[in-house]
Amino acid sequence: MSGAGVWGTLRPMDLDPKPTSAARTSLSHIMTALDTNLLGTVHGGVIMKLVDDVAGAVAQRHSGGPAVTAAMDGMTFLHPVRVGDLVHAHAQVNWAGRSSMEVGVRVLAEPWDRAGVAPTRVATAYLVFVAVDGEGNPRAVPPVKPETPEDERRGVEAEIRRNNRLARRDEILASRTPKAPVTE
């Protein structure tokens, strides 16, 4: 597809940058017996869905319209979640390109029945979203405007992850190219 067909007339540099706080969002859920795996802890897939839900909301808020999950760049489970835990997923856009965005998510858990107990970080994740128009084609997203040194750090690390994804993709594609036979 050519630039005009995919991007129309609006380009990312034509959009005003949005501060990281503009789309920052949190979702919370009380974990029940319906959420457990065979070990009696909350199934990782339940946490992953909560992560994708909050990240999707952030990506759509930042981009001003529909955005779809393109990749989960990484998800690390740090502690098990138990039935009865109140789980909070906090997300923000770390970086934005032409049509894609990296959203970082921190997942915390605390007992539902005891106030004042410090939450435990139970997972972190990085997801890539692509903003799409009504036909499902990529559309421009506004740049991210970091507001704090932590936001700046997150942006730099997001670019490192992006470069690693692209390098991995290029290396995989190169491995599929037949090698010329060695002749002596």
Side-chain angles (χ1 to χ4, degrees), residues 15-162:
L15 300 171
D16 290 332
K18 283 191 178 176
T20 50
S21 62
R24 195 174 287 143
T25 302
S26 297
L27 293 178
S28 298
H29 183 75
I30 295 175
M31 297 297 151
T32 70
L34 297 175
D35 300 318
T36 59
N37 59 28
L38 297 175
L39 300 174
T41 57
V42 172
H43 195 289
V46 172
I47 303 299
M48 290 174 81
K49 175 153 183 1
L50 182 63
V51 163
D52 191 43
D53 287 346
V54 72
V58 166
Q60 293 181 67
R61 288 167 54 101
H62 180 81
S63 69
V68 296
T69 310
M72 181 174 276
D73 197 35
M75 178 139 187
T76 304
F77 294 96
L78 304 168
H79 293 283
V81 176
R82 310 237 180 259
V83 171
D85 281 351
L86 180 56
V87 175
H88 311 281
H90 306 285
Q92 76 174 48
V93 175
N94 293 333
W95 172 90
R98 289 185 313 218
S99 64
S100 63
M101 301 154 277
E102 182 195 91
V103 178
V105 182
R106 290 182 181 158
V107 184
L108 307 172
E110 62 182 317
W112 67 274
D113 59 349
R114 288 182 285 156
V117 175
T120 301
R121 183 186 254 178
V122 296
T124 59
Y126 301 99
L127 296 88
V128 178
F129 283 81
V130 174
V132 295
D133 63 18
E135 286 78 48
N137 295 314
R139 62 181 175 79
V141 298
V144 174
K145 180 180 176 186
E147 298 174 283
T148 67
E150 182 181 354
D151 291 343
E152 290 175 13
R153 177 191 58 79
R154 290 170 142 231
V156 168
E157 291 174 3
E159 288 190 45
I160 292 168
R161 284 186 288 275
R162 179 179 185 272

